[in-house]
Amino acid sequence: MIAYDLSPLFLSLKVATISTILVFFTSLILARFMCRYDFFGKSVIDALILLPLVLPPTVIGFGLIVLFGMNGPFGKLLEDLFGIRIVFSWVGAAIASFVVSLPLMYQSVMAAFEKVDPRWENVARTMGVSEWRIFRTITFPLAWSGILAGLILSFARGIGEFGATLMIAGYIPGVTETVPLAIYFAYEAGEMEKAIFWVIVISAVGVTAITWVNYWRKKNAYRIGRE
Amino acid sequence: MLNVDFRKQLEQFELHMQFQMGKEIVAVVGSSGSGKTTLLNCIAGIMQPDAGGISLHGTDFYKESKKPLKIQKRRVGYLFQDYALFPHLSVEQNILYATSRNNDIAHISELTKILDISLLLSKYPHQISGGEKQRVALARALAAKPDLLLLDEPFSALDDETRSRCQSELLRIHELWSIPVILVTHRIEDAQKLAKRCIRIEKGRMTEQLQP
Amino acid sequence: MKNMILILMLAVLGACGKPSTDSDSELVISTASSLKEAMLAIEVEFGKVQPNTKLMFNFASSGKLRSQIHQGAPVDVFLSASLKDMHVLSDDGLIIQETVVPFAENRLVLASLNHAESNDFSQLLLSTHETIAIGEPESVPLGEYTKQALDSLALWEALKGKMIYAKDARQVLTYIESGNAGLGIIYFSDTKVSQNIKIISELPKSKLPIIYPAGIAGKSQNREVAEAFLTFLTGKEGQKILEQYGFIKVKGG
């Protein structure tokens, strides 16, 4: 077996982890807000969040370049204020992953929240417990298995993101070379062995994640039980 | 003193409730879909009436054109029809859910004794029977020392023997705590056994009668 | 009604399967992306000589085009930016060896949107904080040439992590033009395509010259037309257009 530089794997894990953490908090806040409040234009915001699900990755990549490119409004702002560069950096890859996995997580969290019987929250309210504590101790734990499924989906989507990532983060070996990019460029260069190596690695990561979730869910379902 | 006088439009009819009560047990009877649970929900704050007012001991829960009092501030104990125990918490965690660590929980220990659930504390809701759930849910509703207790069909899922035992426990607790209790039931016998007053609702309209 | 549908179907089938005749032929030309504008100009001129031939260009990096031909893409002519990709195909018999002919040369320049001219090429690259766009060195000839040039200056290792790899020569240009990469190494001919791009300095000539070879695919059904196209390309008119677009005339071509 030829030894390959493993940096694409670590970069992919880093990008997917960071984007999943961001997606986790963002979608919790969004879903809670959207569940609890009715306002004008709500369905438009809902559609905007879900839009990346139906758009081709190239459109997302294009949009990100326009917004975060060196001459884009956010790109300029971030560079001027903090010296952060989005385009052609791993941060760009994380943003691309974030945008494409947010709708998956948002949908999972919405579905998970809707499954939590409002009577439980109402009982807790009559007991004088604050909304925030109800969320932490009732809503969130009871929605957790659905949220976890969303997290895994988001992580997998983040690790697998290619099209938008290639456009915003480009291909800088060792810096923005995630596993999907490594596979693509290995194939392009005719390095089939290298491509196969990475295909096996990424498949192993996927299988591990799925197995772990299934195991965890079974264990958890047993522990929580049902009323 | 609980003051109830409100209107709320439901799908089939308008619910119009008007009554006052002190520290007694009042039974609310009527066929299903007559608006009984809506009454409890409006008092608890889960739903809001369209017009009128609800107040307890001079505190406005709801008053037309004012912001309704938050559920959390109403100090109402509410026993839901199928108990709604938190499935991921043990019996003990369910009962102590609203109490913080340094709270005095002497009254709760007493409750668990009266209700005979001391042995269930470490179990989870899916591991206990219907009668046990009912008693746990009652203990939980009383744990925060509410000023008003709302019971929605508390005995409907119980067999005769358990029912009569639970009923005598309720009477005992009411004697000790002497707070207003509204008991919603579709069984006239329950009402007769427990309550001095009985309110009958049909299609949103109420008629009140004293027990014979 | 049934007959109508039948006739309609036959008509559609007929339209699809129309055999190409001498008077109306199509030439599929896989073309290195750096040749794009020059080839579109040549298409116009060639159309005047051979009005019945339609040229269909497929632009990509030579490495990608090479692997497409390997996988059986229906190509008549291959215009490569590197001898290596052409040789791989002619060795495998996918390009007819005798038809391979060089038709242009090119050179490398360091370019940007706003940098001033500079002679100290190495120092500029080493000290910059900008991203440097280059062609992907394995599949894009521009990248391969760039790597050779930087290697010979002992800069390659030092610049790793600063260099963004593009999928073909044209993407390098896009990276620089959009301002997303501050610097880039491109062909001299690319600078003729974009008005905004400025040449900072020319790269030192590497040992291997940058030669563009053309060749006819073994599977081509239009060999005669393909030969006519290559003759045009290497002839006076073709060379003139290539020169206008910044390519260098091939010696003895």
Side-chain angles (χ1 to χ4, degrees):
Chain A
M1 187 102 218
I2 313 155
Y4 295 111
D5 175 20
L6 286 179
S7 70
L9 177 64
F10 299 127
L11 179 66
S12 279
L13 292 175
K14 171 166 127 180
V15 163
T17 306
I18 289 174
S19 108
T20 305
I21 290 170
L22 288 177
V23 156
F24 173 72
F25 288 109
T26 313
S27 61
L28 278 189
I29 292 165
L30 280 174
R32 185 146 169 83
F33 187 78
M34 298 295 267
C35 270
R36 294 190 53 176
Y37 299 101
D38 266 311
F39 52 90
F40 181 74
K42 182 173 170 174
S43 55
V44 177
I45 291 183
D46 206 56
L48 274 179
I49 298 170
L50 295 178
L51 197 58
L53 221 48
V54 294
L55 285 179
T58 43
V59 173
I60 295 160
F62 182 80
L64 290 176
I65 292 255
V66 168
L67 293 175
F68 290 102
M70 296 296 276
N71 295 315
F74 296 122
K76 253 194 185 138
L77 198 73
L78 287 169
E79 172 102 52
D80 291 349
L81 289 182
F82 310 108
I84 297 175
R85 218 189 226 206
I86 306 294
V87 74
F88 299 161
S89 74
W90 70 267
V91 183
I95 291 180
S97 292
F98 173 83
V99 172
V100 296
S101 50
L102 182 67
L104 291 174
M105 186 66 190
Y106 174 72
Q107 277 190 324
S108 303
V109 172
M110 282 294 256
F113 280 175
E114 273 158 19
K115 263 196 195 157
V116 176
D117 194 327
R119 288 176 317 144
W120 289 319
E121 292 159 334
N122 282 329
V123 164
R125 285 188 188 109
T126 62
M127 294 166 86
V129 175
S130 71
E131 293 293 332
W132 168 232
R133 212 184 131 207
I134 292 171
F135 179 76
R136 271 188 306 131
T137 55
I138 304 292
T139 319
F140 185 79
L142 288 174
W144 173 238
S145 67
I147 293 172
L148 184 74
L151 279 176
I152 297 302
L153 270 179
S154 305
F155 189 77
R157 184 69 186 81
I159 275 214
E161 166 48 36
F162 172 72
T165 306
L166 182 56
M167 287 174 79
I168 182 81
Y171 177 49
I172 306 179
V175 178
T176 66
E177 184 190 18
T178 59
V179 174
L181 264 69
I183 293 171
Y184 178 75
F185 282 97
Y187 166 76
E188 284 280 281
E191 297 175 64
M192 293 310 273
E193 273 181 31
K194 192 176 174 189
I196 290 168
F197 169 77
W198 283 118
V199 167
I200 292 170
V201 167
I202 200 92
S203 307
V205 170
V207 168
T208 311
I210 292 170
T211 313
W212 181 74
V213 168
N214 282 344
Y215 168 77
W216 200 93
R217 266 187 152 174
K218 255 180 216 155
K219 206 176 132 197
N220 206 46
Y222 172 75
R223 194 170 63 81
I224 286 182
R226 278 262 157 240
E227 193 186 356
Chain B
M1 178 76 94
L2 176 70
N3 244 311
V4 175
D5 180 5
F6 72 83
R7 290 167 184 277
K8 181 173 177 63
Q9 189 61 45
L10 302 182
E11 238 171 79
Q12 305 281 331
F13 50 81
E14 189 188 51
L15 178 67
H16 182 202
M17 300 299 300
Q18 186 181 18
F19 63 90
Q20 289 186 332
M21 62 180 286
K23 293 176 177 175
E24 72 263 30
I25 298 179
V26 172
V28 175
V29 295
S31 54
S32 57
S34 57
K36 293 173 300 191
T37 300
T38 308
L39 167 68
L40 295 192
N41 283 344
C42 284
I43 296 173
I46 294 164
M47 290 177 177
Q48 303 305 339
D50 299 330
I54 301 169
S55 69
L56 178 67
H57 305 317
T59 309
D60 280 329
F61 280 10
Y62 173 84
K63 198 164 192 189
E64 210 177 326
S65 75
K66 266 176 71 181
K67 213 175 157 222
L69 192 68
K70 275 174 73 181
I71 307 179
Q72 278 92 336
K73 299 225 165 108
R74 297 191 180 197
R75 301 188 48 80
V76 168
Y78 193 165
L79 182 66
F80 281 64
Q81 189 166 358
D82 35 17
Y83 317 131
L85 294 177
F86 307 131
H88 60 306
L89 300 180
S90 69
V91 166
E92 184 173 21
Q93 289 167 322
N94 262 279
I95 296 171
L96 295 179
Y97 178 67
T99 52
S100 53
R101 217 168 278 162
N102 35 16
N103 271 16
D104 177 24
I105 57 164
H107 67 288
I108 298 176
S109 314
E110 205 189 329
L111 270 175
T112 56
K113 258 179 237 148
I114 297 171
L115 293 168
D116 194 19
I117 49 176
S118 314
L119 293 173
L120 305 175
L121 290 178
S122 62
K123 292 196 171 170
Y124 280 84
H126 68 282
Q127 296 170 316
I128 62 178
S129 72
E132 289 167 336
K133 277 183 197 168
Q134 195 268 355
R135 282 177 279 152
V136 171
L138 185 60
R140 183 179 66 175
L142 291 166
K145 291 193 187 167
D147 296 336
L148 170 69
L149 184 61
L150 307 175
L151 307 173
D152 192 359
E153 302 277 6
F155 313 114
S156 58
L158 308 180
D159 58 60
D160 290 343
E161 197 185 326
T162 322
R163 179 186 301 120
S164 73
R165 209 180 115 209
C166 287
Q167 286 173 343
S168 32
E169 279 157 3
L170 177 66
L171 284 174
R172 223 177 120 200
I173 289 166
H174 182 248
E175 227 165 81
L176 283 170
W177 288 40
S178 68
I179 55 168
V181 175
I182 299 178
L183 167 75
V184 159
T185 176
H186 67 281
R187 288 167 51 94
I188 208 81
E189 309 87 62
D190 291 350
Q192 281 167 345
K193 180 169 175 192
L194 295 166
K196 290 208 175 68
R197 286 169 63 193
C198 181
I199 292 169
R200 174 174 290 278
I201 319 182
E202 278 317 322
K203 294 210 180 270
R205 311 220 133 253
M206 58 167 280
T207 49
E208 185 169 353
Q209 51 212 262
L210 286 171
Q211 290 292 339
Chain C
M1 189 63 199
K2 259 186 187 167
N3 283 341
M4 282 278 285
I5 294 172
L6 201 69
I7 289 165
L8 214 70
M9 280 171 68
L10 282 172
V12 170
L13 279 172
C16 291
K18 202 171 173 185
S20 56
T21 57
D22 285 342
S23 60
D24 191 14
S25 54
E26 265 181 12
L27 212 53
V28 178
I29 306 173
S30 281
T31 311
S33 72
S34 49
L35 289 164
K36 187 169 181 183
E37 283 73 17
M39 281 306 137
L40 294 178
I42 281 179
E43 183 182 16
V44 175
E45 291 306 311
F46 186 68
K48 289 175 187 165
V49 188
Q50 294 249 0
N52 294 326
T53 304
K54 210 178 157 208
L55 302 184
M56 309 272 284
F57 291 105
N58 170 25
F59 298 107
S61 71
S62 301
K64 183 166 202 159
L65 296 170
R66 189 235 306 148
S67 66
Q68 283 175 355
I69 294 171
H70 254 294
Q71 283 152 16
V75 169
D76 295 305
V77 175
F78 179 32
L79 304 180
S80 169
S82 84
L83 287 166
K84 192 188 85 183
D85 290 309
M86 187 61 85
H87 286 157
V88 169
L89 291 174
S90 61
D91 287 350
D92 290 349
L94 292 162
I95 295 283
I96 305 161
Q97 190 116 39
E98 305 84 64
T99 62
V100 175
V101 55
F103 64 92
E105 269 187 48
N106 218 335
R107 54 206 157 113
L108 298 180
V109 294
L110 177 67
S112 90
L113 274 187
N114 40 30
H115 272 268
E117 263 186 55
S118 160
N119 291 324
D120 203 348
F121 170 80
S122 305
Q123 191 52 42
L124 177 64
L125 284 183
L126 285 172
S127 61
T128 186
H129 294 292
E130 309 258 28
T131 308
I132 306 159
I134 64 166
E136 200 279 318
E138 301 293 331
S139 65
V140 186
L142 172 61
E144 204 182 337
Y145 297 132
T146 304
K147 182 169 189 260
Q148 277 171 11
L150 294 178
D151 255 342
S152 67
L153 296 166
L155 286 172
W156 180 257
E157 287 299 321
L159 295 178
K160 268 189 174 171
K162 269 192 205 178
M163 296 182 293
I164 181 137
Y165 293 0
K167 69 174 178 23
D168 57 42
R170 197 37 47 93
Q171 194 178 30
V172 182
L173 196 63
T174 311
Y175 281 169
I176 307 170
E177 274 188 314
S178 65
N180 288 327
L183 297 165
I185 294 174
I186 52 177
Y187 291 124
F188 175 75
S189 63
D190 290 329
T191 62
K192 300 281 176 190
V193 173
S194 162
Q195 277 103 10
N196 303 324
I197 283 191
K198 296 185 183 75
I199 298 172
I200 298 171
S201 77
E202 211 168 302
L203 263 71
K205 271 222 167 101
S206 57
K207 282 162 254 165
L208 284 173
I210 301 169
I211 291 176
Y212 287 68
I216 299 172
K219 280 192 203 159
S220 174
Q221 303 290 312
N222 299 311
R223 177 135 179 209
E224 265 174 50
V225 189
E227 274 170 357
F229 177 73
L230 290 198
T231 309
F232 182 86
L233 195 63
T234 50
K236 224 179 194 174
E237 286 168 281
Q239 291 293 300
K240 202 177 128 201
I241 296 169
L242 284 167
E243 250 186 313
Q244 282 168 6
Y245 280 87
F247 293 89
I248 305 165
K249 250 190 186 168
V250 146
K251 285 154 210 146

